[in-house]
Amino acid sequence: MSGLEPYLRGEKRGKVFGITFDDGYENNLIHALPVLTHFGFSSTCYVVAGMVGQTNRWDAEKGIAQIPLMDAEQLQSWVNAGQEVGSHTVSHAMLATLNAEQQAAEIQQSKVMLESMVQQPGGVRHFCYPYGSLNEASVTAVRTAGYATATTTERGRVVLNGALDVLRLPRVLVSRTTAWPQLVWKCMTAYEDERSSRYAK
C-alpha cells in the first residue's frame, strides 16, 4: 500500500495494482512470499495485533478451521523480505457494532502493538476494516490514529477523481477459486465496478 500512495495522491500516473492479504496467516509467509519474491512484487499483510502467533479464533464459533497466524519473528521476516505489515485491529473486531471509544481503542492500540513488534520504515501506516464493517466513527478513528490509507471489502477498482476517499478504498476479491483469466478480467474491465454497492440501482 505504501507503494500505491503516490498514485492515490495523483503524484504518479499509470495502471497499477496492489496486493493485500488479510489476517496475517503463516501460510502467507510459507506460500505467498516465495512467489512475491520471485516476481519482485511487494504486498501489505493486514495483521490482527492481539492474536499474533495464535490462530484465527474469531472464526471458531462458525466452525471454521483454525489456522496458524504469523508470530512476531515471522512478521519481521516478512518485512525484511520487502513486504509490509498493516493493521487489522486488535481482535478482528466488527467495528460498526462497537461504540466510538471501543473502536478507537481497537484501531489505535493495534497500531501501537504492531509497531512495538515489527520494525519497518515509516511504522504501520495502513489499515483494513475487518469484515468490511465500518461507520463514520471507524473512519474518524482511523484518521485520528494517523493511518495513510484504509481498505474495505467494497468491490471495485480505485478510480482517481475528486471524490476518492483513501480511508474507504475498495478492493478486488481474489479467492482460492479465482483463476488467472478471471483475475485479469476483474482488474482490466469494469466487472468489479459494476458489482459494487456504490453503483447499485
Side-chain angles (χ1 to χ4, degrees):
M1 293 302 298
S2 289
L4 289 180
E5 283 187 69
Y7 296 91
L8 295 172
R9 292 192 296 260
E11 297 166 0
K12 288 186 178 181
R13 298 284 179 179
K15 292 184 178 180
V16 295
F17 65 91
I19 301 171
T20 62
F21 299 92
D22 288 3
D23 304 329
Y25 291 108
E26 187 181 66
N27 60 26
N28 296 154
L29 185 72
I30 296 168
H31 300 297
L33 181 59
V35 179
L36 293 166
T37 302
H38 175 77
F39 288 103
F41 291 160
S42 61
S43 68
T44 300
C45 185
Y46 297 112
V47 175
V48 183
M51 296 190 186
V52 169
Q54 301 179 43
T55 63
N56 51 317
R57 293 198 330 243
W58 60 87
D59 286 328
E61 291 183 0
K62 305 170 194 170
I64 296 175
Q66 295 296 287
I67 302 171
L69 301 169
M70 284 187 272
D71 61 24
E73 184 177 348
Q74 290 172 316
L75 289 172
Q76 190 64 59
S77 295
W78 174 264
V79 169
N80 292 346
Q83 309 304 313
E84 184 174 49
V85 166
S87 169
H88 208 34
T89 72
V90 173
S91 67
H92 205 278
M94 183 82 74
L95 289 171
T97 68
L98 306 179
N99 64 38
E101 184 178 357
Q102 292 168 326
Q103 291 194 52
E106 284 277 349
I107 291 165
Q108 174 63 43
Q109 289 177 17
S110 62
K111 188 177 194 296
V112 172
M113 292 168 69
L114 289 170
E115 288 179 341
S116 72
M117 291 181 216
V118 181
Q119 301 301 308
Q120 71 177 359
V124 174
R125 305 182 63 253
H126 306 284
F127 183 82
C128 178
Y129 304 98
Y131 309 105
S133 174
L134 71 150
N135 55 25
E136 288 303 320
S138 317
V139 178
T140 297
V142 168
R143 183 179 295 109
T144 301
Y147 292 99
T149 71
T151 52
T152 68
T153 57
E154 183 70 56
R155 293 178 70 169
R157 300 173 300 171
V158 173
V159 178
L160 287 181
N161 56 42
L164 177 65
D165 187 345
V166 295
L167 300 184
R168 290 186 177 92
L169 294 171
R171 290 190 290 177
V172 172
L173 173 65
V174 181
S175 71
R176 68 182 64 192
T177 61
T178 304
W180 72 264
Q182 293 172 301
L183 176 59
V184 172
W185 182 258
K186 283 170 173 272
C187 292
M188 302 301 292
T189 74
Y191 176 86
E192 288 290 306
D193 305 333
E194 291 167 356
R195 280 148 184 80
S196 170
S197 64
R198 292 174 298 164
Y199 305 109
K201 303 299 182 189

